[in-house]
Amino acid sequence: MNSQIKHSNSRTFTQEARRAQIVQAAIETIAELGCSKASFDKITRHAGLSSTGMISYHFSGKTELFGEIINTIHGIAGEVSRSHINNKDTYREKVGAYIQANFDFVSRYPAHAKALAEIVALKHCRGIDGIDSVERQVMSVDRLVDLLEEGRSAGEFGTFDSRTMAMVIRTAIDAFFQRHFSRTELDLDRCARQLTDIFDRCTRPADRPGARSPAEQAQKVFP
């Protein structure tokens, strides 16, 4: 394998453009067919390339291709998240924006979101060597934990373990998306608003007017 294909700082503009074309075609193919059926042959045809050798020239195999797909999707999702969060003033607003950003990403980039879910699911079921660190980055709740910790320090949130709360929020978001992709399409805007409201009520200080404890909120949502 030519070393210049492996190192981004030595690739030409044309090589970068071809890699981006292959990644986009792979994302769309995986979203449509699933990982198990997204062969190099099908990706090649979707991309309009002359042969599978074009993919092999730019990527050493599926592991490298999947890693680049995840990096690409994570980069786009990060931009969407920052556009929602960075212009908010309070931590309560930032946590709400975090939730809204996830739903906005799925709404704007459905193929990317579905392809990411397919790759992560395949990783859990069969194992894909070489993308562990990238997967951990995608599944990380560290940014949300930081927002909750900083908000608690500022007096905007009640008393709870920030990592546990972050994991609950992340799990709730992922459950909506799993249902959205596997069973029936949901009204994502409505789901985002309701989930934001639920966690806003669950995390506010107990002495704040109108506040309910997390247990009371759970009883209201799941009677």
Side-chain angles (χ1 to χ4, degrees):
M1 178 68 65
N2 191 327
S3 62
Q4 71 175 357
I5 301 302
K6 293 186 177 181
H7 301 290
S8 60
N9 60 355
S10 61
R11 297 189 195 110
T12 66
F13 175 81
T14 301
Q15 289 168 342
E16 290 287 5
R18 181 66 75 190
R19 281 173 66 91
Q21 178 189 5
I22 293 169
V23 167
Q24 181 62 34
I27 288 172
E28 294 170 0
T29 303
I30 292 170
E32 180 181 354
L33 303 176
C35 278
S36 60
K37 297 181 180 179
S39 64
F40 273 16
D41 181 62
K42 287 185 171 63
I43 295 170
T44 296
R45 281 185 281 174
H46 191 86
L49 302 176
S50 58
S51 71
T52 58
M54 295 291 292
I55 299 178
S56 299
Y57 177 76
H58 290 278
F59 297 94
S60 59
K62 271 196 172 182
T63 296
E64 184 185 359
L65 178 57
F66 282 174
E68 188 64 21
I69 289 170
I70 292 176
N71 277 325
T72 298
I73 296 173
H74 188 252
I76 295 172
E79 291 177 3
V80 172
S81 182
R82 287 188 292 273
S83 71
H84 278 262
I85 294 173
N86 287 352
N87 64 345
K88 302 301 182 184
D89 296 323
T90 69
Y91 290 104
R92 303 199 66 77
E93 290 175 336
K94 289 179 185 293
V95 171
Y98 172 92
I99 296 172
Q100 296 278 345
N102 278 270
F103 284 86
D104 187 30
F105 170 72
V106 172
S107 180
R108 291 168 58 186
Y109 300 95
H112 291 66
K114 190 169 185 180
L116 180 60
E118 287 280 344
I119 293 174
V120 171
L122 182 66
K123 169 68 174 65
H124 289 164
C125 292
R126 301 184 186 177
I128 304 174
D129 295 332
I131 67 168
D132 290 351
S133 62
V134 180
E135 183 201 13
R136 284 195 296 271
Q137 184 181 20
V138 171
M139 303 303 290
S140 173
V141 293
D142 289 348
R143 174 56 177 150
L144 184 53
V145 171
D146 289 342
L147 290 175
L148 292 168
E149 286 284 354
E150 292 163 8
R152 286 184 60 200
S153 297
E156 295 185 27
F157 298 127
T159 302
F160 51 79
D161 180 77
S162 296
R163 184 160 294 276
T164 299
M165 183 63 73
M167 292 174 65
V168 171
I169 293 173
R170 182 70 257 173
T171 301
I173 293 171
D174 291 342
F176 274 102
F177 296 158
Q178 184 177 17
R179 182 178 180 85
H180 179 68
F181 288 130
S182 64
R183 296 182 182 180
T184 182
E185 291 189 4
L186 302 175
D187 183 339
L188 294 178
D189 288 340
R190 179 173 177 270
C191 292
R193 290 193 302 270
Q194 291 190 337
L195 200 60
T196 299
D197 181 64
I198 289 169
F199 282 107
D200 180 70
R201 292 174 180 272
C202 285
T203 56
R204 67 178 56 174
D207 59 351
R208 186 169 176 172
R212 295 184 178 89
S213 69
E216 291 173 326
Q217 285 301 308
Q219 187 176 19
K220 179 182 178 181
V221 177
F222 304 106

